[in-house]
Amino acid sequence: MEFNFSVNALFKEKIVKVKNNLQLENYASDRRGDGDVVSKVSTVLDQMGIVSAKAQKLSVAITSAAKLRNTDHVVYVMTDPDGNKGHGTVVGILKVGSKKLFIYDLTGVQWEMEPLCVLDFYIHESKQRTGCGRLLFDYMLKDQGVSPNHLALDQPSESFLSFMCKHYGLDSIIPQINSFVIYDSFFEGRLDKGRGSSNHGAGSKNRTTVQSVKALSRSHEPTTPSYGRHSAKKAGSVMAEYMQDPSLMSQNGNRQNSLPTNQSPIKTNVNKMHAAEEINGSDSQAQIRPTSLPEKLSGPCSTAESSRPTGDQIDAPDVSDETAAQNGVGTLTPEEVPGKLDLKFHHTHLW
């Protein structure tokens, strides 16, 4: 990765160790230049931490200048002096530090320890598979005086596990409940064992299961590792299940259509209405038909047939208005008023 300042002027060697005070190892302190060195080192750590998080698909960067302060962690920075037209580029970073952990061994016994942990390891994409990662890791092992099987890996990715298996022959891993991963030979030859406890509960069998890195890499089917950040349970997709297996939809439809043998289908109101019509016959139709229609209708519902006299109409004798009003003959009901049509008298089951 390139920067807007000379990397070679900042890092005098190809691999430099950055301490928690953001000072370089074997750096001659100078009051005038200390602030500039700390500022540039912070820029390198922050930018490399961001690209490392993106490569590992993490939402938050693990390495930064702020997180390195006030800790006992160190960061090894590897550079390429020939890059960026002789100004130098940063190739990768390796962050390590001790942490207090509770670790389960193969027998299910829990141990309280403070092993050296690999917290972040990243090599730029342009320099991968060129031996830079092995060179940087070997430098850290020699400087810390530790064997690779005695390291605890914090949330390792599959590429990191493959790297350890390829270069150091470490294949069998023991995932821990704290997102760390150790190897089956982690406890061999150690002198820093702390207190051990055998009260590990009923779930210790899953905690001490040994997994093979080679078996995971040879598998053609995509698998979800049970260690680190990959162990989080993800919600399934119901739509994806139906798309992959259409038989589920047909089974669901048959389940809805099936009814118990002792249960009969429920009759709807429409069935009840049809049954009533069959029983009553034409009488039910007569009840909903109007006895008379107005002679003149206005509007879109009016027709020529509505003004024709029907057989049910009887000629009333001529009487005076007073007599007609007393006897109720010749008076118009609200439904017989010309120009008005009350639709409630014309509703049928066909509407």
Side-chain angles (χ1 to χ4, degrees):
M1 174 176 281
E2 299 179 357
F3 293 90
N4 57 358
F5 53 84
S6 177
V7 175
N8 292 335
L10 179 64
F11 302 104
K12 303 297 183 180
E13 300 178 0
K14 189 173 183 178
I15 299 178
V16 180
K17 180 180 178 181
V18 181
K19 297 180 291 186
N20 54 0
N21 58 358
L22 302 182
Q23 293 288 345
L24 306 179
E25 191 178 30
N26 301 327
Y27 170 73
S29 178
D30 184 8
R31 293 182 178 180
R32 296 180 179 179
D34 287 350
D36 184 57
V37 170
V38 171
S39 176
K40 292 180 179 179
V41 170
S42 301
T43 302
V44 171
L45 295 181
D46 293 342
Q47 294 298 324
M48 293 299 292
I50 292 174
V51 295
S52 176
K54 290 182 179 179
Q56 301 180 57
K57 299 180 180 180
L58 301 177
S59 58
V60 180
I62 302 174
T63 302
S64 66
K67 293 183 178 180
L68 186 61
R69 289 181 178 273
N70 302 323
T71 63
D72 59 347
H73 304 161
V74 294
V75 178
Y76 296 89
V77 180
M78 186 176 187
T79 63
D80 180 14
D82 300 330
N84 193 16
K85 300 179 182 181
H87 296 285
T89 57
V90 178
V91 174
I93 57 173
L94 176 58
K95 181 181 179 181
V96 297
S98 299
K99 279 195 171 185
K100 185 177 180 179
L101 302 176
F102 293 92
I103 300 177
Y104 288 89
D105 59 9
L106 290 173
T107 60
V109 178
Q110 185 186 61
W111 296 89
E112 182 180 356
M113 306 175 61
E114 290 189 19
L116 184 67
C117 306
V118 179
L119 306 176
D120 195 6
F121 183 33
Y122 170 73
I123 300 296
H124 196 267
E125 286 77 6
S126 61
K127 294 295 182 179
Q128 292 181 3
R129 303 183 184 275
T130 59
C132 295
R134 175 65 185 270
L135 184 62
L136 179 59
F137 210 88
D138 287 344
Y139 185 93
M140 181 273 299
L141 294 176
K142 184 179 179 180
D143 183 69
Q144 295 290 336
V146 64
S147 300
N149 60 311
H150 288 168
L151 296 172
L153 312 182
D154 184 14
Q155 299 183 2
S157 60
E158 293 184 8
S159 59
F160 187 20
L161 294 177
S162 300
F163 171 85
M164 298 294 291
C165 180
K166 176 183 178 181
H167 295 288
Y168 302 101
L170 299 175
D171 177 46
S172 301
I173 61 176
I174 305 176
Q176 303 294 314
I177 60 176
N178 50 14
S179 300
F180 280 80
V181 172
I182 63 173
Y183 292 95
D184 56 350
S185 57
F186 177 81
F187 294 94
E188 295 179 2
R190 297 192 70 99
L191 301 177
D192 57 344
K193 283 187 178 180
R195 295 175 297 175
S197 174
S198 60
N199 297 328
H200 47 269
S204 61
K205 294 183 179 180
N206 295 333
R207 299 168 184 166
T208 57
T209 302
V210 179
Q211 299 182 9
S212 175
V213 178
K214 293 181 180 179
L216 293 175
S217 61
R218 286 195 301 263
S219 177
H220 297 286
E221 297 181 357
T223 58
T224 302
S226 60
Y227 51 82
R229 60 183 178 274
H230 307 283
S231 61
K233 185 177 180 181
K234 300 178 178 58
S237 175
V238 179
M239 183 60 66
E241 295 178 359
Y242 277 106
M243 293 177 64
Q244 295 177 2
D245 190 1
S247 61
L248 296 176
M249 187 174 296
S250 60
Q251 294 177 3
N252 190 18
N254 296 335
R255 189 183 301 110
Q256 294 179 355
N257 295 333
S258 60
L259 291 174
T261 55
N262 58 353
Q263 183 179 357
S264 59
I266 302 175
K267 293 183 178 181
T268 60
N269 295 331
V270 178
N271 296 335
K272 292 181 179 180
M273 185 171 60
H274 289 305
E277 292 178 359
E278 293 178 358
I279 296 174
N280 298 332
S282 59
D283 295 339
S284 61
Q285 296 292 337
Q287 294 177 1
I288 61 177
R289 292 175 180 172
T291 56
S292 61
L293 293 175
E295 296 181 356
K296 295 182 180 180
L297 298 177
S298 61
C301 296
S302 62
T303 58
E305 296 180 358
S306 60
S307 61
R308 296 177 183 177
T310 59
D312 299 335
Q313 295 178 351
I314 302 174
D315 296 333
D318 296 336
V319 292
S320 61
D321 295 340
E322 296 179 357
T323 306
Q326 294 176 359
N327 299 333
V329 180
T331 59
L332 297 177
T333 60
E335 62 271 11
E336 295 176 344
V337 176
K340 293 184 179 181
L341 178 62
D342 194 352
L343 295 179
K344 68 180 181 181
F345 294 97
H346 303 277
H347 286 173
T348 65
H349 68 284
L350 297 178
W351 285 41

